[in-house]
Amino acid sequence: MRTRRSISASSHCVLSCVLAVGVLGGFGTPVAAAVEIPATGTPATGPAIPDRGYEAVDAYLREQMAAIGLPGAAVVVVKDGVQVHSAAFGHADDSGRPMTAQTPVLLASTTKPLTAMAVMQQVEAGRLRLDEPVRTYLPWFTLQDSRSSAITVRQLLHQTSGMASKDTAFEASDAQDPEAIEEGVRALSGSPLAGSPGEGFRYASANFNILGLLVQTVSGQPFGDYMEQHVFAPLAMAHSHTTRAAAQADNAAAGYSLWFGSFWRQTGVPAPTTGMPSSTMYSSAEDIGHELTALLDEGRYRGRAFLRPESVETLLKPEVQIDESKGYAMGWFTRPLVESVGPASGAASPPTADPPTADQALPLLLEHQGEWGNSHTYKAMVPASRLGVALVINANDTSAPSRLKAIDTNVLRILHAQPPVPAVVQEDWLQRSSWLVSLVLLLAELLSLALALAFLLRRSAARRRWVPWAGGAAALALDGFALWLCLVYAPARFDTHLAVIVRQFPDVGVALVPALGLALLWPVPRTVWLVSRMRSATPGSHRSAA
């Protein structure tokens, strides 16, 4: 699909008109009382009352899909325990199958709140205690640091265990067997701690993988089966799944990646069951709406208790401060709802850039985004207004994910009668141009290879004897730079392993792998060959041999 980089003037006009009507109509249109829940499992919905705010959301999403070239998206809004809006756009795969609000999509990190709910169920059952060390339940659990023995269940939920993403990455694995969760946690034994448990926030998906294994251990049930029976079933999440096979059997959307910053391509990237509790569950926009409804209704769904109110309060209470305005609860980022007020001076700045002043009593927003190599998801709640938003996109631009993140916050803005603001690409030059950097690196390595072979295979020696040595030194410098960039700088910059970069950034990997292969395998034989050639060409060397 060809990406459209510009928005036509007519489209701008249409969108502006719709947004203006949405602003005038506002999100405050009263929602009628919920209808009786059908016994067939159909989601609760309010009466089909036209709402200009929702029309504006749909118009904005269509505009962004056309501008960015996104293949498919679905959005669901819940309010006061009722699904008040549902819409889907585009296609789910290359066959042209339409995207729907019931189409499962790989959740990525929006998986974490689901696992947090399962943990709280076990806390309610008395099988887990939040302030108990992990070793109480997994006596063998350890990291390459004696401080790991102090890590508690609560610290895992709050991302304060001390683990770091780059030391615990698993996203390059292809494991699909049920045992992969425990195998992945056991593999952490060789990982260091980046800080002392409880001292500060460090985001690492491994925290939730351990939590999933805890649920599996204390419940005596495989984690995937537990989620299906005790989370998905009570919340009527019929299109939510814990494995790729189950999701595909339910017509899950295929994922798309933006290749070389130019075109979208249906792309498969690893989704290992190792990360099932943190990253690799599947769900639909409609099912996420069910999840949000239960949390906004203090743990009740369709009149039945799912979690106790005090458990929900514990889940959603921000206990860790990340920065001046952002906090973290149990699987949820929290911040003031700045989308409910206009941008400062109309500047095109990130919605969360400026913390509210003391006289701005902004509601609390709980949110989480999911970023994978080929999918983007978002879930948000405003408990004060009992508003929930679920957005799934079966694609991701890994070079500039902030463009899709801007869609998330602008949907919130429109729902709060505010105009959307332009996206600001926040990624640095290396991430934005990573595919180009890897391509240039490959071309440089190929050129170095060609020049070296041209010299080494020629019969006559170079007239200036320093030229081959200088060329050899330059080639070694290029190899050293490639190795440093791939093995040291890039993993540190992206807070992950090189294997994850190669597998989750497919357009980067196609050039980076051969470039790195040349940098690793060619320098030694090239240098030996060069030294041998230069020695044989040295005047007097043959006489000495004779």
Side-chain angles (χ1 to χ4, degrees), residues 113-136:
L114 291 166
T115 296
M117 292 194 297
V119 171
M120 291 309 297
Q121 286 180 333
Q122 292 305 303
V123 171
E124 289 183 356
R127 300 189 186 100
L128 284 176
R129 291 191 292 273
L130 291 176
D131 294 311
E132 198 73 19
V134 173
R135 280 192 178 178
T136 300

Side-chain angles (χ1 to χ4, degrees), residues 129-147:
R129 291 191 292 273
L130 291 176
D131 294 311
E132 198 73 19
V134 173
R135 280 192 178 178
T136 300
Y137 311 103
L138 303 175
W140 50 263
F141 173 75
T142 187
L143 280 77
Q144 199 178 41
D145 193 308
S146 60
R147 295 174 294 176

Side-chain angles (χ1 to χ4, degrees), residues 85-253:
H85 182 66
S86 173
F89 316 91
H91 58 271
D93 56 30
D94 281 347
S95 72
R97 174 167 55 94
M99 189 77 169
T100 72
Q102 296 80 36
T103 303
V105 172
L106 178 66
L107 288 177
S109 284
T110 55
T111 295
K112 293 178 176 66
L114 291 166
T115 296
M117 292 194 297
V119 171
M120 291 309 297
Q121 286 180 333
Q122 292 305 303
V123 171
E124 289 183 356
R127 300 189 186 100
L128 284 176
R129 291 191 292 273
L130 291 176
D131 294 311
E132 198 73 19
V134 173
R135 280 192 178 178
T136 300
Y137 311 103
L138 303 175
W140 50 263
F141 173 75
T142 187
L143 280 77
Q144 199 178 41
D145 193 308
S146 60
R147 295 174 294 176
S148 63
S149 62
I151 297 174
T152 67
V153 177
R154 190 186 300 271
Q155 289 166 352
L156 295 175
L157 285 162
H158 284 153
Q159 303 272 12
T160 59
S161 67
M163 289 187 288
S165 290
K166 64 182 177 63
D167 301 318
T168 57
F170 63 89
E171 293 86 349
S173 169
D174 280 313
Q176 292 296 310
D177 55 290
E179 295 77 22
I181 298 176
E182 180 172 343
E183 291 170 356
V185 174
R186 288 184 179 273
L188 295 174
S189 60
S191 303
L193 276 180
S196 297
E199 74 172 4
F201 178 86
R202 285 184 176 85
Y203 189 88
S205 290
N207 286 311
F208 278 75
N209 292 339
I210 298 170
L211 289 168
L213 183 58
L214 288 175
V215 170
Q216 175 173 292
T217 301
V218 301
S219 69
Q221 190 174 10
F223 179 73
D225 294 347
Y226 181 92
M227 293 300 297
E228 294 280 354
Q229 182 177 343
H230 298 283
V231 177
F232 297 159
L235 298 182
M237 298 174 70
H239 299 289
S240 298
H241 307 282
T242 58
T243 66
R244 182 171 61 193
Q248 289 176 341
D250 191 25
N251 295 314

